[in-house]
Every structure is written in structure tokens, then in C-alpha cells.
Amino acid sequence: MGKSRTKRFKRPQFSPTGDCQAEAAAAANGTGGEEDDGPAAELLEKLQHPSAEVRECACAGLARLVQQRPALPGLARRDAVRRLGPLLLDPSLAVRETAAGALRNLSACGGFEVCDDMVTKDIMTPLVVLLKECSAGLDSNEMSLQEKKDQNRNSVENIANEAVNVLWNICECSSRAVSIFNKEGCLEIVLKYLSRFPTNVDLAISVAYCLQTVTEDNPELLKSFSATALNVLESALLSPVSSMESLLLKTLVAGTIWNLKDIIPCKSQAEIINALLKILSEVLGMDAGETVIQMKETETQRLKTAAEAEEILENTNGDDLIEDDEMEGISHKRKVRRKTFVSDLLPPTDKELRETIALLTAQQTALEIIVNMCCNEDPSDDEWEELSSSDESDAFMENSFSECGGQLFSPLCLSHEVHTALTNYLIPKKIFEKTAFPNSIAVDLCSRNPTWKPLIRKMNTIQCRALFCLQSLVSLLDVEHLGGAAALQTLAQHLSQLLFSQPDFAKHADFLEAISSALRALLQTMASKNISQCMTPDQLMTLCKAGIHSSNVGVRVNVVSILGITGSVLAKEDGTLETLKNIGCFLLEVTTKDPSLVVAGEALDALFDVFADGKEAERASIQIKLLSALKEFQPVFKMKIRKEGRGNYSTDQLCVLDNVKMNLRRFIAYQETVEKRLTS
């Protein structure tokens, strides 16, 4: 179990309105659903009203209501999806837009179960029809006045944007929705929307998110990509960057093109990979902290200038101001209200905040794409699965590699093109920089402004993604491409400083998982190259004692593995007896007490590594009575595998545990010879 597989990243469920979680109190006392049945029933009834304005307002009200989780059961009971579905094809464009917005919120806030239920209730039928009608509407030249035509086109694009977001959310959660996407020819429709990126980057970004989702593990769809389709993606990828939102678009398109790698002609692969990594490098090269500071200052100055201008205008006009509705021939006020309803469904509209969010999202996406480039593509990649370090497992790895025939995109190795491009564009260095804690000034600015406060979490997420990305690169790149032995030692010191500069690091689960994964990979590489390690025994035990109490199995596996790696190095050195005894006692305790068989198996594997060789290790094993402890635990371990294994662990995990069980028998035999030799 000494090798670890980096995990791939999928898109987190996107919430167009921020936090979709309901207040805990309403959910706790079980009254939330009942209280929400009143407004839900009233709003759903109004969906059938003859007045388009009433239907529009009802859709907008539902868009807000679905953000409250206790309201979802009541909406499901009253068949909200089937009532909203027909309004996607309402004669009124405004109703279509708000209905799509309500379904967008429902699909984002409801999660997998709600999205699957939406497919069951046949939401895909009107949704696909709407997407096709919007596509046709963009080509329509029926309106004679250019002003009206442009206004109608904007409405159609707004509706298309909402509809694409519904499609994106549902396809992320439902394989049935993806199948319908394939069969109904939705690819051609959304690519047409994507081609409008020069004039509507918001719509293009929504399409790019959707494409990144539907092209993943979808060989049927890949067959539909024609040269024309690839040209649309290439145009977006190579377009000039005019804003951070366009940079996000290019990053998302890069992720889609990576998903299409299997259909790219061999002669073009090197060129495409270079183009992708050039963009990812550009994204990661930007200083997010400085951008946050600059954008917040720009927003502050803009709001100050606007307030001063408004004050001057009020002082100038005095009592002569009149309401819009009082002006003859002008009725803009109702349109302003309508726009306010629609904006409630969308992400923040403040330019500076939108741009900053776009950059942070682009950086997170870029890191996730690089991790996915570096790791095995497997249906279970999202799980923490450990591969045994036994001879049988090593042989399996070698056989798998030989069976792939050394193909360019072998899942067990980096292609030469990716390897070269990563180093040419200095991506390891840029990822290293992203592992630092977020800029403290930027964090302070965000913490003092409610609308900017969520950006703190996004900055922390980027740090964690960078640490996972670092894990991938350290595991797969040659030491020379990482800067040599000195650079790895500097990196180890950097990670140790990151970890121990936070007294309460154990409380931050995401950070602890990410940094323990990076440390594990780094220490493994350093040990394999005989590079001296930098963590002190005290630091090592502090990390392990904190991490072993984590509820995250991945963290516990990581810290146990780190202990095994470091212990195996110390076992070959003189004067390490007491440290080895501490390590051995700790690993024995984990082996016998951890509730997870995966963690217990990893702890046994670490024991095998630490006490496999070396005079100090032999002396330590005798003093901690390692042999008797393992003999006592052996039948318990066998019984646990037999009783708890099936149903609780995957086939791969059971295979690994079986290897550990076999290695335990061999190790006990070895320890018996050691004890006889030292005690005779």
C-alpha cells in the first residue's frame, strides 16, 4: 500500500445564487417544509395565470424559494418540475427566462437526487426544444427595426444562458441526461452558442462549463466532434484575452479539449498540448492576491465616484425630480423591475467582483486540469484507493504499462509532450507559488466586505488544489525537472513551514488532506533518490498524532504512510533507536485500533517498511515486542477482512488488503528469524 494515486477533480455543483443551504433551525424542527408549502402552493398556482407578468413573478419567487432546502420536499410533492417545464416554451420571452432561472436554481441547489428526478419528470424534452428555438432565434431576421432585433437577440441569448446552465447542472448529475444530450444533437446547438464568445462571454462560459462536463468519459459524444466543431473550440482557445472572464473561458475550453485528446490526430497532439499548457501557465502566472487588492480598490473608487455624482445630481435638480411613470410616453420603470428579478438568479453583477471571481475560478480550474492530466483516468478516481507495494502489485503495474503499448496518453505515465510542456512553461514553479497561504492583505479586505468574503474560501481552495497538483508533479516528473535535490529539500522545508505555522492545522480538513498528500509524495520521492529529509522526529510525530484523529480516511492513510517512509530511512541510520520505537508503537496502535481496514492495512505496510532492515530497526522491534503483537493481531485482521470486507470496500481495496494479509504472514516469519538471532 506504499503507492498513492492522485485524485481527479470534477466540477463542484455550481450555485448561481451563492449558498443554497437552508437555515439549520427550520430543518431541525421539521417544520420548514410545512411552512414553505403555503408560498410554494401559491406560487405554483400563479404559474397558470393568464397574465405573463404574474407568471414571470411566480417563476422569480420560486427561484428564491428553491434556495431553501426545507422547501424542496414540498415543491417535489406539488410537482414543481412538471409545472415549470412547459413555461420554458411560454409565449413570453421574460417568462421563459425566469422559468429557466428557477429550474437553474433548483438543479444547482437540489443536488444529484433533484437533478435525477428532473430527468425522470422529462424536463429534458422542453429544455432541448428551448435550446433549439433559441438557436434558431439567433439567426432570425424577422424584425424590421434594428433596435428591436438587437433587443430580442439579447433576450434570446439570456434565455439560452439560463437554459445551458440547467443543462449543465443536470448533465453533471445524471448519466441519462448526458445520453439525451448525445441523442438530441445538443452538441451542435451549444457550440453555436459558444461561437458567440466575442460578444457574449457569459453565455460562452456557461457553454464551456457544460462541454467540460459532457465530454468527460463520453466516447459516444466524441464521435460527433467534426472538424468544424473542433475549429469552434480552437477559435475560443486562441482568442485574445480582453478580460479575466475571457481568461476563464479559455481555461474551460482547454479542459474540454483535454477531454477530447483521444480524437485529436497524432500529428497535432504536441501542438495542442503546448497550446493548452501555455494558457494554463498564463492563468497560474497571475497574482490572485494582488488582483483582489487592486480590484477591491477599483470598486471602492467607482462606488465613491458614483455616490458623489448622485449627490451632485440631487442637489442640482432639487424638487424637480419626477418618477419614471409620471413621464409621458416612458415606461422604463417596469423593465427595471423585471431586470432586478432576473438578476437575482445570476452571479454577482459588480464588474470588479465578477472579474476577480473569474480569475480565481480560472486558477482553480487550471490546477484541476493539470492534476487530471497527470493521473490515472478510472471510474473510481474520486475514491482514495491504495495500491500495494507487494511484488504482485508491482508486477501488475508493469504489466498494465506494457499492455498499453507505450501509447502517447498511457494512464500510467505522463506523455513526453505533457512532460516537456509542463517544464517549458515553468508550471512546477508556478504551482509551488500557489501553495503558499493567501495574501493576508487580500484576505483582510475580503473579510471586511460581505460580498467579497466568499473569495477567502476560493483563495484557500486554490491553495489546496495547488498542493494536490504538487503531489502529482512530484510523483511523476524527474527530479531534474523539479530543480534537483536542493529544490526538493527547499520544497520539503516550505511544506513543513506551511504545516507547522498553523497551530490548529488539524481543524482544517481540506488543507490537512492536501498538504499530507503533497508531503507523502515528496518524502517518497526523496527517499527513493536517497535525498536527506528535513522533517524532525518531533514534527513527524506531531503531524501523525494530529492527522490520525481526522475523520478523513485519506488523511489517516497519508500520515501513516509518511511515518513508514521516514521510518524506513531512519532504520538505516545510527542512533535512531528511540525514534524507531516511537514510530513502531504508534503504527501498532493504529493497526489495532483504527476502524478502517484501509488505514490498518496501510499501517501494517508501514511497519513492514520500517522494520524490514537495519540494526537499529531490529533492536527496536525486539524492545517493542513487535513479533508478539503482530502474531496476536494476525487472526483478528483475517477475521475483519472476512466479515467487514464485502460490502464495505471496493474490489481493488479487498485485493490490496489480501496482499497485506499475505505480506503479514511473510513478515512474521522474517521477524521470527530476527528474534532468534538476537536472543540466542
Side-chain angles (χ1 to χ4, degrees), residues 200-259:
N200 194 332
V201 70
D202 287 340
L203 175 58
I205 286 173
S206 297
V207 171
Y209 269 122
C210 186
L211 283 173
Q212 199 177 22
T213 293
V214 298
T215 54
E216 188 170 5
D217 301 323
N218 189 355
E220 181 183 346
L221 184 64
L222 299 196
K223 299 173 187 175
S224 304
F225 271 87
S226 61
T228 303
L230 292 173
N231 286 338
V232 173
L233 293 175
E234 183 181 11
S235 297
L237 185 72
L238 301 179
S239 63
V241 175
S242 58
S243 66
M244 291 177 198
E245 288 176 311
S246 62
L247 198 62
L248 171 59
L249 172 63
K250 289 161 73 79
T251 306
L252 293 167
V253 171
T256 298
I257 292 176
W258 176 254
N259 289 344

Side-chain angles (χ1 to χ4, degrees), residues 488-662:
L488 292 188
Q489 288 179 319
T490 300
L491 180 56
Q493 290 173 341
H494 167 70
L495 294 180
S496 297
Q497 185 179 6
L498 280 180
L499 183 64
F500 296 110
S501 64
Q502 301 293 303
D504 57 346
F505 66 83
K507 296 179 182 178
H508 304 286
D510 292 343
F511 171 72
L512 184 55
E513 180 183 10
I515 197 165
S516 62
S517 297
L519 269 171
R520 177 183 181 180
L522 178 60
L523 295 177
Q524 181 67 61
T525 297
M526 293 174 73
S528 67
K529 301 297 181 182
N530 294 318
I531 300 171
S532 58
Q533 306 196 8
C534 304
M535 287 183 71
T536 67
D538 286 344
Q539 287 179 325
L540 184 70
M541 294 310 298
T542 298
L543 167 62
C544 293
K545 287 177 180 177
I548 205 63
H549 295 296
S550 171
S551 59
N552 186 317
V553 171
V555 171
R556 304 206 302 275
V557 165
N558 284 338
V559 297
V560 166
S561 179
I562 287 171
L563 206 54
I565 293 164
T566 307
S568 65
V569 173
L570 294 174
K572 299 176 179 64
E573 300 176 1
D574 294 330
T576 58
L577 177 65
E578 291 304 316
T579 301
L580 291 173
K581 286 166 62 178
N582 289 336
I583 290 174
C585 290
F586 182 88
L587 291 174
L588 276 174
E589 185 174 5
V590 174
T591 296
T592 56
K593 293 184 179 179
D594 196 285
S596 169
L597 278 173
V598 170
V599 178
E602 187 71 41
L604 281 170
D605 206 53
L607 280 168
F608 305 157
D609 290 339
V610 174
F611 296 98
D613 192 21
K615 292 181 179 179
E616 294 286 67
E618 290 179 349
R619 291 173 57 202
S621 68
I622 298 297
Q623 293 187 26
I624 66 172
K625 297 180 171 54
L626 179 61
L627 178 59
S628 60
L630 292 179
K631 279 186 172 181
E632 184 179 345
F633 179 68
Q634 186 179 26
V636 176
F637 188 58
K638 287 181 179 179
M639 180 189 67
K640 282 188 173 183
I641 292 175
R642 188 171 60 252
K643 288 188 175 181
E644 301 174 18
R646 305 227 173 255
N648 295 323
Y649 299 94
S650 69
T651 303
D652 285 346
Q653 288 170 330
L654 289 173
C655 181
V656 168
L657 288 169
D658 195 55
N659 279 332
V660 174
K661 181 178 67 175
M662 181 171 57

Side-chain angles (χ1 to χ4, degrees), residues 131-439:
L131 288 165
K132 290 178 178 178
E133 289 192 5
C134 286
S135 177
L138 293 178
D139 293 330
S140 174
N141 290 313
E142 294 175 3
M143 308 194 83
S144 56
L145 296 176
Q146 185 65 35
E147 181 180 354
K148 288 186 177 180
K149 185 166 67 177
D150 290 343
Q151 182 181 4
N152 182 64
R153 179 162 289 151
N154 288 338
S155 296
V156 170
E157 289 187 350
N158 290 340
I159 295 167
N161 188 37
E162 295 292 341
V164 168
N165 273 278
V166 178
L167 181 68
W168 164 31
N169 287 335
I170 295 176
C171 286
E172 178 70 19
C173 299
S174 169
S175 59
R176 289 185 296 163
V178 174
S179 296
I180 295 170
F181 182 101
N182 295 344
K183 292 174 184 177
E184 293 293 332
C186 293
L187 177 62
E188 183 180 351
I189 299 170
V190 297
L191 283 171
K192 182 176 181 180
Y193 297 154
L194 179 63
S195 67
R196 306 187 75 82
F197 68 87
T199 57
N200 194 332
V201 70
D202 287 340
L203 175 58
I205 286 173
S206 297
V207 171
Y209 269 122
C210 186
L211 283 173
Q212 199 177 22
T213 293
V214 298
T215 54
E216 188 170 5
D217 301 323
N218 189 355
E220 181 183 346
L221 184 64
L222 299 196
K223 299 173 187 175
S224 304
F225 271 87
S226 61
T228 303
L230 292 173
N231 286 338
V232 173
L233 293 175
E234 183 181 11
S235 297
L237 185 72
L238 301 179
S239 63
V241 175
S242 58
S243 66
M244 291 177 198
E245 288 176 311
S246 62
L247 198 62
L248 171 59
L249 172 63
K250 289 161 73 79
T251 306
L252 293 167
V253 171
T256 298
I257 292 176
W258 176 254
N259 289 344
L260 303 177
K261 59 187 179 296
D262 291 337
I263 65 169
I264 295 173
C266 291
K267 62 182 180 180
S268 304
Q269 286 176 346
E271 181 184 355
I272 291 294
I273 288 170
N274 270 282
L276 300 187
L277 286 169
K278 182 180 179 182
I279 287 173
L280 301 185
S281 176
E282 181 183 353
V283 170
L284 295 175
M286 299 185 72
D287 189 325
E290 286 300 319
T291 300
V292 169
I293 295 168
Q294 292 170 10
M295 285 293 183
K296 189 69 187 74
E297 290 175 351
T298 301
E299 181 195 63
T300 301
Q301 186 59 46
R302 176 176 60 81
L303 294 176
K304 180 182 177 183
T305 302
E308 290 172 351
E310 185 176 352
E311 184 178 354
I312 292 171
L313 186 62
E314 287 177 356
N315 292 337
T316 301
N317 290 341
D319 296 331
D320 294 332
L321 288 172
I322 59 175
E323 292 292 331
D324 285 343
D325 284 348
E326 297 174 21
M327 298 175 65
E328 186 176 355
I330 296 179
S331 58
H332 296 304
K333 200 169 185 182
R334 179 173 295 166
K335 292 178 182 176
V336 171
R337 284 201 188 102
R338 173 177 296 168
K339 191 63 180 175
T340 301
F341 281 131
V342 173
S343 67
D344 288 338
L345 312 176
L346 302 175
T349 54
D350 295 332
K351 179 183 178 183
E352 297 83 7
L353 184 56
R354 284 177 65 93
E355 289 279 302
T356 308
I357 290 173
L359 174 62
L360 295 176
T361 306
Q363 291 193 338
Q364 178 180 332
T365 303
L367 291 165
E368 292 170 357
I369 292 170
I370 293 170
V371 170
N372 292 347
M373 284 180 166
C374 296
C375 72
N376 186 1
E377 295 183 2
D378 185 89
S380 56
D381 279 332
D382 286 336
E383 303 172 3
W384 282 99
E385 294 176 2
E386 308 305 323
L387 295 175
S388 172
S389 60
S390 67
D391 295 338
E392 290 83 353
S393 180
D394 289 338
F396 170 77
M397 298 279 284
E398 291 171 7
N399 290 338
S400 296
F401 178 77
S402 62
E403 286 169 7
C404 77
Q407 294 173 0
L408 179 62
F409 291 105
S410 164
L412 296 179
C413 66
L414 272 180
S415 74
H416 174 71
E417 282 77 6
V418 173
H419 186 129
T420 303
L422 283 169
T423 52
N424 285 349
Y425 291 112
L426 304 177
I427 286 180
K429 179 177 181 293
K430 293 174 182 179
I431 291 171
F432 176 92
E433 292 168 353
K434 297 297 176 194
T435 62
F437 286 110
N439 185 308

